[in-house]
């Protein structure tokens, strides 16, 4: 449900933020170019969260601080994994610490119960804005979905326990992997034209192939693991295929024998 077309509760939040001079600053508007008119940017992102450009801009100002701390942590070899990157535990701790900084920079978001309940809108807006220069052949909705899927699979906090940690994990994940995400978006964008792939189907396939087993499935010891079961199915398929090939070969030999007999007669 949109803040701009939703019920009175959502619309009242938008109006409250609009009256905040720190968020909507009329002094930053362009100079009038005529009677009661201003030149405004033509770029339209179809954003969902009230003043997400402002809030995300406030978080973006802390990017250098985060990356500088990450480089400092990487100078200690005890913090590195076997590939020379910051190990997962240390990276998680950094994200958790940084959540406090994000909280202080956009307090309006987290002090409002309504806004905090709709963090998905802010995350979608972030993915929309960050993907605008990549994946040019994808629609805004599709490139937003692609980037959000990519971030989900690289994020460090599997179950954030607060809206502060939720948005911090998403944003810092993008900062750490922006080049990778850019390449993925460009690759999928190119595939759309080259092989006419349906991005919706592609995302659905990737999501289903990497879905985690449920707790019930994990506790069910009577059922063989997926990889064992799949290998059994594959073996059965291979066995049937082999039998089919043998049968086809026998039929072929019989046909050749019949042809020889006909030639002799």
């Amino acid at each position: 449900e949109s803040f701009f077309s939703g019920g009175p509760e959502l619309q009242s939040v938008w109006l409250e933020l609009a009256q905040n001079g720190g968020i909507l600053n009329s002094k930053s508007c362009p100079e009038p170019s005529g009677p009661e008119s201003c030149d405004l940017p033509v770029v339209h992102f179809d954003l969902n969260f009230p003043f997400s450009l402002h809030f995300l801009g406030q978080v973006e100002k802390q990017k250098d601080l985060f990356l500088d701390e990450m480089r400092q942590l990487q100078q200690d070899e005890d913090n590195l994994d076997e590939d020379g990157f910051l190990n997962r535990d240390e990276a998680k701790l950094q994200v958790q610490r940084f959540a406090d900084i994000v909280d202080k920079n956009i307090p309006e978001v987290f002090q409002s119960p309504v806004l905090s309940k709709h963090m998905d809108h802010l995350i979608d807006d972030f993915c929309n804005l960050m993907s605008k220069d990549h994946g040019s052949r994808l629609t805004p909705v599709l490139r937003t979905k692609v980037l959000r899927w990519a971030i989900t699979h690289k994020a460090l906090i599997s179950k954030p326990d607060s809206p502060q940690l939720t948005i911090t994990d998403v944003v810092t994940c993008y900062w750490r992997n922006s080049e990778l995400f850019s390449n993925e978006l460009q690759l999928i964008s190119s595939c759309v034209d080259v092989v006419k792939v349906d991005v919706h189907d592609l995302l659905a396939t990737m999501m289903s192939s990497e879905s985690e087993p449920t707790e019930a499935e994990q506790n069910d010891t009577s059922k063989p693991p997926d990889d064992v079961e799949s290998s059994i199915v594959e073996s059965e398929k291979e066995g049937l295929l082999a039998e089919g090939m043998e049968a086809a070969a026998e039929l072929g030999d019989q046909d050749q024998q019949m042809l020889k007999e006909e030639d002799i007669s």
Side-chain angles (χ1 to χ4, degrees):
E1 189 176 16
S2 170
F3 278 89
F4 310 106
S5 60
E9 183 184 31
L10 296 181
Q11 292 187 27
S12 65
V13 173
W14 187 92
L15 293 173
E16 181 181 344
L17 294 174
Q19 296 172 8
N20 186 329
I23 295 176
L24 184 60
N25 185 3
S26 60
K27 294 181 180 179
S28 62
C29 293
E31 290 295 326
S33 58
E36 298 182 355
S37 65
C38 294
D39 293 327
L40 297 177
V42 295
V43 180
H44 178 61
F45 294 115
D46 193 21
L47 303 179
N48 298 309
F49 196 87
F51 298 100
S52 54
L53 277 173
H54 167 78
F55 294 128
L56 294 173
Q58 294 298 107
V59 176
E60 188 73 14
K61 291 178 180 178
Q62 310 305 317
K63 178 179 179 179
D64 290 341
L65 178 64
F66 178 84
L67 296 179
D68 286 344
E69 182 187 7
M70 186 176 70
R71 295 187 192 100
Q72 291 177 2
L73 292 171
Q74 289 174 333
Q75 292 177 2
D76 187 346
E77 293 184 357
D78 293 337
N79 295 332
L80 304 180
D81 60 18
E82 57 185 10
D83 296 321
F85 297 102
L86 195 64
N87 67 59
R88 191 173 184 86
D89 290 338
E90 198 63 43
K92 281 184 178 181
L93 291 174
Q94 186 193 9
V95 172
Q96 291 168 348
R97 289 193 301 269
F98 199 73
D100 293 335
I101 297 176
V102 172
D103 184 23
K104 293 177 182 178
N105 276 268
I106 50 174
E108 298 89 353
V109 173
F110 306 119
Q111 291 172 2
S112 168
V114 177
L115 291 178
S116 296
K117 286 192 304 183
H118 292 81
M119 293 305 296
D120 275 354
H121 286 319
L122 186 58
I123 293 173
D124 281 342
D125 286 355
F126 175 77
C127 293
N128 186 354
L129 292 168
M130 294 301 104
S131 63
K132 65 182 176 63
D133 295 327
H134 317 286
S136 57
R137 296 180 181 87
L138 302 176
T139 65
V141 173
L142 280 181
R143 56 179 170 76
T144 297
K145 285 185 177 181
V146 170
L147 181 54
R148 182 156 186 173
W149 172 87
I151 290 176
T152 299
H153 287 76
K154 295 292 287 186
L156 294 171
I157 312 298
S158 58
K159 295 181 179 180
D161 57 5
S162 68
Q164 292 90 332
L165 192 55
T166 298
I167 190 62
T168 302
D169 192 30
V170 168
V171 173
T172 55
C173 178
Y174 179 82
W175 290 346
R176 293 193 311 270
N177 302 280
S178 57
E179 185 175 352
L180 171 64
F181 295 152
S182 173
N183 292 337
E184 289 178 343
L185 281 164
Q186 291 176 12
L187 177 61
I188 294 178
S189 178
S190 300
C191 289
V192 171
D193 284 345
V194 175
V195 296
K196 303 301 180 184
V197 64
D198 188 318
V199 180
H200 287 101
D201 291 343
L202 178 61
L203 284 176
T205 301
M206 291 189 291
M207 289 177 181
S208 62
S209 66
E210 299 188 15
S211 60
E212 296 182 358
T214 63
E215 185 176 352
E217 291 173 336
Q218 290 177 340
N219 296 331
D220 186 2
T221 56
S222 63
K223 181 180 177 181
D226 290 342
D227 55 345
V228 175
E229 185 175 355
S230 61
S231 64
I232 293 174
V233 173
E234 289 299 321
S235 298
E236 291 176 350
K237 288 181 179 179
E238 291 176 359
L240 291 173
L241 179 61
E243 292 177 4
M245 293 175 66
E246 291 176 359
E250 291 177 0
L251 288 174
D253 292 340
Q254 292 176 3
D255 290 341
Q256 290 181 358
Q257 183 66 30
M258 293 176 61
L259 287 174
K260 289 181 180 179
E261 291 175 355
E262 289 176 358
D263 292 340
I264 294 173
S265 61

